[in-house]
Amino acid sequence: MTFLVLNAAGAQGGAVARRLLAAGLPVRGFSRSGAVPEGAESVTGDLTDAEAVKAAFAGVSHASVTLPMVYDPAVVEVYVRNIRDAALAAGVCHLAFNTANRLPEGETGVVAYDTRRAAVRTLREAGLPVVELRPAVYLDNIAAPWFAGPLAADGVLAYPLPADLPVAWLSLEDLAAFTHAALIRDDLDGAVLKLGPEEAVTGADLAAAVGARYQLLDVTAFETALAAVTGPRTAAAVAATYRHIAADRALVAADPSALDLLDVRPTPPRAWLAAQPWARR
């Protein structure tokens, strides 16, 4: 039994790998850099390289799939085709696909949504045992420099979502807990799970938990800052998700259905933020 974590050098994949390792499971991490959490077997490669992906999947029974922040449909199609073929060849018995967003119903023209929906469809149509994990918004994003840093010097928590929008904020540690729980279950093939805590919390309430005030970060300004790190194409794709969420508020609402199913209890968002050293006042 081997657990493969794709994109293990990334924030999401790295969190999953560490959780599986902490549970005493044999973990293989796949990344372009070869960097993986300590204790994991490292396989270096790119998802566009079919042979590298096949080598990563060799002997694997369980796989956690999070795609890189690449939203070119043609490139993502190559990624997914290689994952599909390698997973089929390995006879993978459990595959957890993290869409990294809640996905609206139907095509939206938002490439970050549509490419991930197409990816899941491709894997399922091939007969792979896929459970789809849909987180809402990551709490850890708050500390990212393109969101103006953890907390501005004047006690402002800035984020590109409306102050009054209730959000099912989820930490990466809790994403990892959900992924672990989903991977070790035998009865979730075909399931679509919306991940998040029991309570959705507005940005204003989240900021108030640490004595800060909330400020709506202009999405265009956010996109410009992110572009300096990821490039304009990725930044535009990510920014489009925030514009869509502001118009489709139900997309990030609390949905407790996965909590009892997976027996995971995420940290409440306000408690998570209050526990961060950079948020203490």
Side-chain angles (χ1 to χ4, degrees):
M1 179 175 65
T2 298
F3 287 71
L4 173 65
V5 178
L6 297 186
N7 202 20
Q12 297 171 76
V16 171
R18 287 189 292 273
R19 172 74 183 209
L20 297 176
L21 287 164
L25 298 168
V27 176
R28 179 182 298 163
F30 181 82
S31 69
R32 286 184 296 177
S33 66
V36 298
E38 184 178 355
E41 175 191 355
S42 175
V43 177
T44 303
D46 190 279
L47 288 173
T48 58
D49 183 341
E51 290 305 312
V53 178
K54 185 176 180 180
F57 270 91
V60 163
S61 54
H62 301 67
S64 167
V65 176
T66 303
L67 298 180
M69 290 175 65
V70 173
Y71 303 108
D72 181 327
V75 175
V76 175
E77 185 178 352
V78 174
Y79 289 167
V80 177
R81 182 173 66 242
N82 290 340
I83 292 168
R84 176 199 65 194
D85 294 347
L88 287 171
V92 167
C93 57
H94 299 291
L95 190 151
F97 188 97
N98 171 20
T99 61
N101 283 291
R102 299 270 182 88
L103 300 183
E105 297 302 321
E107 300 296 313
T108 61
V110 177
V111 69
Y113 297 148
D114 295 345
T115 55
R116 275 45 183 177
R117 181 184 293 104
V120 173
R121 184 168 58 245
T122 295
L123 298 175
R124 285 197 171 131
E125 288 176 350
L128 286 165
V130 178
V131 54
E132 186 178 348
L133 305 179
R134 296 183 177 184
V137 178
Y138 291 129
L139 280 161
D140 305 70
N141 288 346
I142 295 169
W146 47 87
F147 288 108
L151 281 174
D154 57 356
V156 173
L157 174 60
Y159 203 82
L161 288 175
D164 64 345
L165 173 62
V167 175
W169 305 87
L170 181 74
S171 74
L172 291 175
E173 285 189 359
D174 288 326
L175 164 73
F178 277 117
T179 305
H180 174 209
L183 279 172
I184 61 176
R185 287 279 294 268
D186 293 325
D187 58 348
L188 295 179
D189 182 7
V192 177
L193 304 180
K194 296 179 181 179
L195 308 185
E198 189 169 7
E199 179 190 15
V201 178
T202 68
D205 286 341
L206 194 61
V210 291
R213 64 182 178 84
Y214 188 83
Q215 178 178 304
L216 172 62
L217 177 62
D218 178 75
V219 179
T220 300
F222 155 70
E223 181 179 340
T224 299
L226 182 59
V229 179
T230 66
R233 186 166 193 164
T234 294
V238 175
T241 68
Y242 285 102
R243 293 188 178 99
H244 189 96
I245 290 168
D248 183 4
R249 293 182 162 218
L251 202 57
V252 292
D255 185 335
S257 59
L259 300 180
D260 289 334
L261 179 65
L262 296 179
D263 194 24
V264 172
R265 291 295 176 266
T267 305
R270 281 172 286 208
W272 181 92
L273 182 60
Q276 303 310 305
W278 46 262
R280 293 174 186 163
R281 302 224 164 267

